[in-house]
Amino acid sequence: MTQIDTRLAEEAPDALDRSALWQALRAEEARRMQAEEELSARAAELDSFVYNVSHELKAPLVAIQGLAGIIVEDSAAHLDEDSRRLLERLQVNVHVVERLVQDLLDLSRAGRDSTPPGPVDLAEVVDEVAATMGARLRARGIELVRPDTAVLWGVRRRVEQVLSHLLDNAATYMGGQPSPRIEVSVIEAADLAQCSVKDNGIGIDPAHHQKIFEGFHRVREVDSDGTGIGLAICRRIVECAGGRLWVESESGHGAAFSFTWPLSTSGS
Amino acid sequence: MMNGDDAVTILLVEDNPDHATLTLRALRKGNLINDVAWVRDGAEALDFLYRRGAYADPPAPRPGLILLDIKLPKVDGHGVLRQIKGDESLKNIPVVMLTTSSQPADVNGSYGAGANSFITKPVSFADFMEKIHAVKLYWMLTNVAPGGQS
């Protein structure tokens, strides 16, 4: 055998192996891409299903709440106290379902915004959310510490929803704390902001830390009129924006919910 | 083009009888009196507007405002809207979409087809009454209709 023959004999199986490996890799890549496409089509289908169901549920709610409203408006004077109380309970319950439907809609909409993203002033959003919760914060004597400003890049309504849920949770789970305090802070690092909502309330046992983000899991120590999917919505919104949401807490020692969010590249 | 008397007719196109009860109640509130005609599907709405079938004799009045639901039997709200806005003789009538949906496709599709306003029905009774009443006041009093009639 010549030198070339020898080299060919030595390297040919290797080259064949590489070619087979290459083909296997390409086939695997094609399979993966197809699986991803199928998965994303199914997710879109599911979102659209939730969306439609939510709207179908809303129509009878409009009717129930409206008809009850007509009874109250026209006949309240003729009803005895028991009937009035029952009617009130009916309206409260419809309101609970309404919130649930709205939350499901929000969950299905997260990541499918028709509004284009833009610069969002974090401190401004915190002020707005705090203003809508003002009466509640004052009634419980909660001191709210606002963050330095940071200009995020995203859909304002989504940032508002996240902060609104986190501040609402912090106020709800304050327990008997004599000096209730919620601190919203922000740190900027490279192209991300890390925003934290920290309270000195009852805290959350680490055993619940994963489950609270899964939806319909409420820590049963406190009466809350929440739907139990607020944190699931927050996580989905944050992840769709390219960030991460997590909690640090121990039972009895308050809770800190933090999320990362892209900063506006145009600068603040 | 108006029906003989001064009262402007509002056409409500709504298939849900309970929602119609609420909307009619809100429209009849206050001192501003309007005739309200209620039809239950898209085909009936088009019969009303083109004065066909049951609306031929006596001829139905030309409405000064149309409140149009989207999910309707026979012809849906989008179909009715396209027909109205594509017809020279009807396109000037203000059409307010009144629906439970706030789906971006419905909102954008409606404006794209020429809707004049898009209102979602609130669940709260008080909000519902207030919103519909405000719609009526705006389109009947504040807005100046084509031809200078408000």
Side-chain angles (χ1 to χ4, degrees):
Chain A
M1 283 208 309
T2 64
Q3 207 178 350
I4 294 173
D5 287 341
T6 314
R7 270 193 70 185
L8 262 177
E10 277 170 11
E11 288 180 13
D14 217 27
L16 279 173
D17 277 356
R18 275 203 296 272
S19 161
L21 187 63
W22 175 244
Q23 276 178 14
L25 273 173
R26 284 188 60 170
E28 181 56 35
E29 174 70 7
R31 267 198 297 275
R32 192 183 59 77
M33 277 173 71
Q34 197 191 343
E36 267 177 20
E37 269 169 32
E38 275 168 21
L39 203 63
S40 101
R42 277 196 201 155
E45 212 172 90
L46 191 66
D47 280 351
S48 153
F49 176 76
V50 171
Y51 204 101
N52 286 325
V53 168
S54 308
H55 280 302
E56 290 305 316
L57 284 173
K58 201 182 156 194
L61 289 182
V62 170
I64 298 167
Q65 198 70 301
L67 300 179
I70 292 180
I71 297 174
V72 171
E73 203 169 80
D74 290 354
S75 319
H78 309 297
L79 296 173
D80 60 33
E81 203 179 310
D82 264 359
S83 305
R84 271 202 300 274
R85 191 180 52 80
L86 291 174
L87 212 47
E88 229 168 71
R89 291 306 307 155
L90 186 148
Q91 289 176 300
V92 168
N93 277 288
V94 173
H95 183 62
V96 171
V97 183
E98 183 198 353
R99 283 191 54 175
L100 192 55
V101 169
Q102 189 54 51
D103 279 357
L104 281 171
L105 265 180
D106 285 342
L107 193 60
S108 80
R109 271 179 195 159
R112 295 190 306 154
D113 283 301
S114 52
T115 320
V120 181
D121 187 311
L122 181 73
E124 221 175 81
V125 175
V126 172
D127 281 348
E128 269 170 34
V129 173
T132 58
M133 290 177 64
R136 197 166 153 217
L137 296 175
R138 278 192 299 277
R140 181 63 183 84
I142 295 172
E143 180 199 355
L144 177 69
V145 182
R146 291 171 167 77
D148 294 333
T149 199
V151 183
L152 311 182
W153 183 257
V155 176
R156 189 185 179 90
R157 163 102 185 102
R158 298 295 167 219
V159 180
E160 211 176 273
Q161 275 178 311
V162 172
L163 284 164
S164 171
H165 278 297
L166 295 183
L167 283 169
D168 186 79
N169 270 354
T172 301
Y173 296 98
M174 203 45 94
Q177 171 60 252
S179 320
R181 187 172 190 271
I182 301 173
E183 185 183 348
V184 186
S185 60
V186 64
I187 312 167
E188 293 184 32
D191 52 357
L192 279 182
Q194 181 181 316
C195 178
S196 299
V197 177
K198 190 177 174 191
D199 66 66
N200 57 355
I202 60 172
I204 304 158
D205 189 310
H208 297 294
H209 284 195
Q210 278 309 311
K211 285 186 177 160
I212 54 172
F213 292 105
E214 287 167 11
F216 300 110
H217 180 87
R218 201 177 295 129
V219 183
R220 296 274 167 198
E221 293 156 31
V222 168
D223 263 352
S224 155
D225 62 350
T227 56
I229 51 177
L231 286 172
I233 295 173
C234 290
R235 176 166 271 187
R236 181 125 184 228
I237 292 173
V238 169
E239 285 177 356
C240 287
R244 214 162 61 80
L245 169 67
W246 69 96
V247 63
E248 288 158 280
S249 176
E250 270 178 54
S251 225
H253 293 90
F257 284 88
S258 303
F259 64 92
T260 52
W261 193 284
L263 281 163
S264 174
T265 44
S266 55
S268 47
Chain B
M1 295 295 278
M2 292 289 173
N3 54 324
D5 53 38
D6 288 343
V8 176
T9 298
I10 297 172
L11 176 64
L12 170 65
V13 192
E14 172 64 80
D15 66 321
N16 183 318
D18 298 326
H19 290 194
T21 301
L22 287 164
T23 312
L24 292 171
R25 187 182 176 95
L27 290 174
R28 286 170 181 150
K29 261 189 183 252
N31 297 323
L32 185 60
I33 305 298
N34 286 100
D35 290 332
V36 185
W38 169 33
V39 296
R40 292 159 182 77
D41 62 60
E44 202 184 344
L46 293 172
D47 282 349
F48 187 99
L49 292 166
Y50 287 110
R51 296 164 178 165
R52 297 184 303 222
Y55 300 99
D57 189 24
R62 176 188 165 90
L65 175 67
I66 300 170
L67 300 182
L68 181 59
D69 193 10
I70 290 182
K71 282 187 182 164
L72 291 168
K74 297 183 187 171
V75 181
D76 74 1
H78 292 301
V80 175
L81 178 67
R82 276 196 301 274
Q83 184 87 30
I84 295 170
K85 294 301 177 186
D87 185 321
E88 280 300 318
S89 67
L90 298 175
K91 71 174 189 188
N92 283 344
I93 304 173
V95 179
V96 174
M97 306 307 284
L98 182 61
T99 168
T100 47
S101 167
S102 54
Q103 199 158 7
D106 279 339
V107 181
N108 298 336
S110 296
Y111 280 114
N116 300 82
S117 183
F118 192 103
I119 310 281
T120 53
K121 296 170 185 167
V123 173
S124 146
F125 172 68
D127 292 350
F128 192 104
M129 291 291 127
E130 205 182 300
K131 218 169 186 178
I132 302 296
H133 192 60
V135 166
K136 173 179 145 175
L137 289 185
Y138 174 77
W139 288 104
M140 294 289 112
L141 287 181
T142 314
N143 182 59
V144 177
Q149 288 153 326
S150 67

